[in-house]
Amino acid sequence: MKINIFIYLFFFSIFVNAQQIAILKYQGGGDWYANPTALPNLINFTNTYTKTSIEKDPQTVSLNDNALFNYPIIFITGHGNIFFNSEDSETLRNYLTSGGFLHISDNYGLDKYIRRELKKVFPTSELQEIPLNHPIYNQTFSFPKGLPKIHEHDKKKPQGFGLFHNGRLVLFYDYESDLNDGWEDSPVHNNPKKTREKALKMGANIIEYAFKH
């Protein structure tokens, strides 16, 4: 039986202040589990430099799990297909419009699928490029030129896209940047130290912004 949205909101109201984050395990066959060292490294960096107290081990949650509403922030990444059925779409919409926040990191191959699925979640909304003066680029760390380029995909510029609900940014999508790669242990992609630092700083900004809004 589908749990009433008011129960969802009850769960969320209890846990909204908890500093926990989770990775979304989605349907469709894509590797939702990609970049396993990324979030633990980002959590450690964020706790160190922005005075958060996030639990060091990120959790895994799916859209049919009531625990979803325990987490103020959830993350999506992967290289392949992602699929939301009608109940998934409704649940994710309820989560985001109730105060939750979603960060999507574009690993190569995810873009065409995630754009398709987001239309199920917010059929009348379009992804908007986030302006450079938006607070998400100006938290503890400043990014006056916007989203940093971390990993090369198609020689396109990095762009930060978002979806808004009643004026609140509920979703941030880093496109052609691949912040997740920069969060991973340094030997995984052999990114220069400065590149990894930019990725971690931008990731920390996203978390800091989400906790404040």
Side-chain angles (χ1 to χ4, degrees), residues 137-193:
Y137 295 126
N138 297 279
Q139 295 293 308
T140 293
F141 304 104
S142 179
F143 287 86
K145 296 182 180 180
L147 194 66
K149 185 75 168 179
I150 305 303
H151 188 72
E152 187 60 67
H153 288 171
D154 290 320
K155 300 187 184 302
K156 297 178 181 178
K157 71 173 185 177
Q159 293 175 278
F161 290 104
L163 286 175
F164 292 82
H165 175 72
N166 291 338
R168 183 178 74 91
L169 180 66
V170 299
L171 178 156
F172 184 81
Y173 174 36
D174 72 77
Y175 172 68
E176 285 285 332
S177 171
D178 211 336
L179 292 176
N180 260 265
D181 276 5
W183 302 342
E184 287 233 80
D185 288 348
S186 56
V188 176
H189 300 288
N190 294 314
N191 287 317
K193 182 179 179 181

Side-chain angles (χ1 to χ4, degrees), residues 7-18:
I7 298 178
Y8 278 147
L9 292 175
F10 174 74
F11 276 109
F12 191 83
S13 68
I14 292 175
F15 292 104
V16 68
N17 293 317

Side-chain angles (χ1 to χ4, degrees), residues 11-28:
F11 276 109
F12 191 83
S13 68
I14 292 175
F15 292 104
V16 68
N17 293 317
Q19 292 200 324
Q20 296 176 303
I21 61 179
I23 301 163
L24 187 67
K25 180 180 179 180
Y26 50 80
Q27 301 182 71

Side-chain angles (χ1 to χ4, degrees), residues 5 8-9 11-12 15 66-71 91 94-95 98:
I5 181 57
Y8 278 147
L9 292 175
F11 276 109
F12 191 83
F15 292 104
N66 296 340
L68 171 70
F69 285 75
N70 293 0
Y71 306 106
T91 298
N94 289 336
Y95 167 81
S98 300

Side-chain angles (χ1 to χ4, degrees), residues 28-104:
D31 55 340
W32 58 267
Y33 46 82
N35 301 44
T37 65
L39 276 184
N41 287 339
L42 177 61
I43 289 169
N44 180 63
F45 182 90
T46 304
N47 284 345
T48 301
Y49 292 100
T50 69
K51 299 180 181 179
T52 52
S53 300
I54 306 166
E55 292 188 8
K56 66 177 183 178
D57 297 318
Q59 302 300 303
T60 299
V61 69
S62 60
L63 289 171
N64 61 5
D65 185 346
N66 296 340
L68 171 70
F69 285 75
N70 293 0
Y71 306 106
I73 308 172
I74 56 174
F75 290 82
I76 287 177
T77 193
H79 299 81
N81 189 36
I82 178 171
F83 174 76
F84 300 147
N85 62 30
S86 58
E87 289 191 357
D88 291 339
S89 300
E90 181 180 1
T91 298
L92 184 55
R93 181 166 57 251
N94 289 336
Y95 167 81
L96 294 173
T97 58
S98 300
F101 187 90
L102 171 61
H103 175 213
I104 304 166

